[in-house]
Amino acid sequence: MAEICYFGGLVHYKAPSPFSLHSLFRSKPHYYNSTSLMAECRSSSTVEPPSLLVFSGGTGFNGVVEELKKLTTRVAHVLPVSDDGGSTAEIVRVLGGPAVGDIRSRCLRLSDESTSEALAVRRLLGHRLPIDAHQAKKDWYDIVEGNHSLWDGVSRPYSETIRAFLIYFQNEILRRPNERFCFSNGSIGNFFFAGARIFFQSLDAAIFLFSRVSEIPCDSLVLPVISTNDRLTLGCELQDGTIIRGQNEISHPTNGTMQTVDKRHCSNSALPSKIKRVFYMSSEGNNLLHEVFPPVNPTVLEQLRSVDCIVYAMGSLFTSICPSLVLLGVGEIISSRSCRKVLLLNGSQDRETSGFTASCFVTAIADALNRTHGDPNIRLKNPPGYYINTLLVPKDGEIAVDLKQLSEQGIKDVRVVESVGDPKHGILFNPSSLINMLAGLVE
């Protein structure tokens, strides 16, 4: 028995073995494999709904995920693992590894809501601790020890499994006495994810576990664009040659403070120059400005080859979308496909895209997929029309739609979708109108 000491008492905990999780998964044990899982789902259905692959971040597309489930659950959600802000930054700082905040956020949106227990699990894994550091630590220990009201409605098999990995996460923190961990505004789902990833030494296995615990439809895939157990750092080069290190510093710098930030309406000063490209940087050693070239998750390439529609979602263009596009192999496959390739235009500007028109968004995506400003030995020269053939625009959005330039880029199918005004987020796609439009495109 491993003994972990908290200020609230002693918790005796035996590390979970993979065999203790089989009853939770309700199936014979097998390794995480997206192809087998999707085939398993389709075997019981004679008419297949359309399949989509969506490039997005952890925020922008979340608002339409619920509505998308009404059209199809055959969706591969491809997300970056380079977010270094908020509670994710604290986990990465102390424990290392990839950022899981965007993945956790999408998993929660896809999780089951059909039963009271499913809602209780979703509420638990979606909970954030208070901003006040002392109160956050107290609440965290109450949760780990099983005394918090968040456990109400969660059955014993689920609570024991979730607590096991939360305790494992806490144990990993205690093993690093020289690093003081701050629980302020921490995400319980992020802590669970980090505990599972470290235990299994596999990000894919952690996603598989989270997917089963939260009962995500088995043909819905949440895919890190890079499947890694290492920390990844995003960098960008501005047109004036300036290099900025870290996703948070690019999109919404917080001067080292932990705070909730609305990237689309933050008060940060504008970038000194427009962004030229994004790339991955070394996280280790002395030369932290050194560019690195991590391999893309093979399952992402596998899905790109077969889906009925590829979607570039709304969100932070350079820090949420482009990090998934600059990897070797992505542009090659997308340019070879003859399926629908749809760009969902943002409804408002942010720090990354100040002054952009619709054709500027298209150029940025094509440059990322072509790796235009990177190593000339791996550069592609495909026109934008090879990557995008349909543009969906929210009605009354802030971004100018320059039809002439879009036509010159090869994009002639531009459609306006009903929108909604949000006092916090500005102009957004109306979720049902957007999904109805996508349904018409893929069907």
Side-chain angles (χ1 to χ4, degrees), residues 239 276 317-318 322 343 356-370 372-373 384 387-388 402 405-406 409 411:
Q239 290 182 357
K276 181 178 180 181
L317 176 62
F318 288 102
C322 288
L343 169 60
F356 271 35
T357 63
S359 66
C360 296
F361 277 76
V362 172
T363 298
I365 288 174
D367 283 350
L369 289 163
N370 279 331
T372 300
H373 303 294
Y387 299 120
I388 300 168
D402 42 350
Q405 287 79 3
L406 289 168
Q409 291 175 322
I411 301 163

Side-chain angles (χ1 to χ4, degrees), residues 3-313:
E3 189 175 88
I4 305 172
C5 183
Y6 305 121
F7 77 91
L10 293 177
V11 175
H12 294 277
Y13 165 64
K14 185 178 181 181
S17 83
F19 297 104
S20 67
L21 305 179
H22 294 164
S23 61
L24 178 70
F25 295 163
R26 301 171 186 170
S27 64
K28 63 182 181 180
H30 58 278
Y31 291 104
Y32 176 78
N33 183 287
S34 62
T35 305
S36 64
L37 283 175
M38 296 184 76
E40 202 175 289
C41 292
R42 294 197 295 268
S43 64
S44 60
S45 175
T46 55
V47 179
E48 290 186 353
S51 61
L52 283 71
L53 183 143
V54 180
F55 291 108
S56 70
T59 304
F61 194 70
N62 274 349
V64 301
V65 168
E66 299 289 345
E67 197 69 29
L68 179 59
K69 286 193 275 188
K70 299 176 184 178
L71 169 64
T72 180
T73 56
R74 295 179 61 205
V75 182
H77 299 265
V78 179
L79 296 132
V81 287
S82 50
D83 186 5
D84 57 0
S87 67
T88 298
E90 188 68 358
I91 295 172
V92 172
R93 181 184 71 83
V94 176
L95 301 179
V100 297
D102 288 350
I103 294 171
R104 180 266 313 160
S105 177
R106 186 56 47 82
C107 284
L108 283 175
R109 289 289 180 150
L110 292 169
S111 62
D112 182 39
E113 296 181 286
S114 62
T115 67
S116 59
E117 179 170 43
L119 289 171
V121 170
R122 180 167 175 160
R123 183 170 59 250
L124 170 67
L125 296 177
H127 180 71
R128 280 195 178 273
L129 298 172
I131 294 291
D132 179 77
H134 177 76
Q135 187 61 45
K137 194 170 186 178
K138 182 181 182 302
D139 284 8
W140 164 245
Y141 285 141
D142 284 344
I143 291 169
V144 170
E145 292 175 356
N147 299 325
H148 201 284
S149 60
L150 284 169
W151 293 110
D152 295 347
V154 182
S155 64
R156 184 173 177 179
Y158 278 88
S159 64
E160 287 185 348
T161 300
I162 295 170
R163 278 192 66 212
F165 289 103
L166 293 180
I167 293 172
Y168 195 86
F169 171 78
Q170 173 68 12
N171 187 39
E172 289 298 308
I173 292 173
L174 294 176
R175 290 176 58 194
R176 294 162 173 81
N178 294 329
E179 297 287 352
R180 185 181 179 88
F181 190 90
C182 179
F183 291 98
S184 177
N185 199 39
S187 163
I188 301 304
N190 283 355
F191 297 165
F192 174 79
F193 237 122
R197 180 193 62 77
I198 297 170
F199 177 81
F200 290 115
Q201 287 296 295
S202 167
L203 180 56
D204 287 336
I207 295 171
F208 175 69
L209 174 65
F210 198 108
S211 299
R212 286 301 176 96
V213 166
S214 55
E215 297 193 16
I216 293 173
C218 58
D219 52 358
S220 294
L221 302 178
V222 180
L223 300 174
V225 71
I226 302 168
S227 182
T228 180
N229 226 25
D230 299 322
R231 177 180 179 179
L232 289 169
T233 300
L234 189 70
C236 86
E237 179 184 359
L238 305 185
Q239 290 182 357
D240 66 1
T242 301
I243 301 294
I244 302 177
R245 178 182 174 83
Q247 176 176 322
N248 215 47
E249 287 299 309
I250 299 167
S251 63
H252 52 289
T254 57
N255 299 317
T257 60
M258 293 186 68
Q259 55 182 281
T260 302
V261 178
D262 177 6
K263 290 186 281 188
R264 285 164 290 194
H265 285 79
C266 60
S267 58
N268 292 312
S269 59
L271 289 164
S273 177
K274 292 186 183 298
I275 296 175
K276 181 178 180 181
R277 67 177 183 125
V278 295
F279 58 95
Y280 290 95
M281 307 175 77
S282 173
S283 297
E284 309 294 339
N286 296 324
N287 187 6
L288 296 182
L289 293 181
H290 178 63
E291 183 172 357
V292 295
F293 301 89
V296 65
N297 185 344
T299 307
V300 172
L301 301 182
E302 173 189 314
Q303 291 295 312
L304 278 174
R305 292 187 183 100
S306 61
V307 293
D308 301 319
C309 179
I310 297 168
V311 178
Y312 310 94

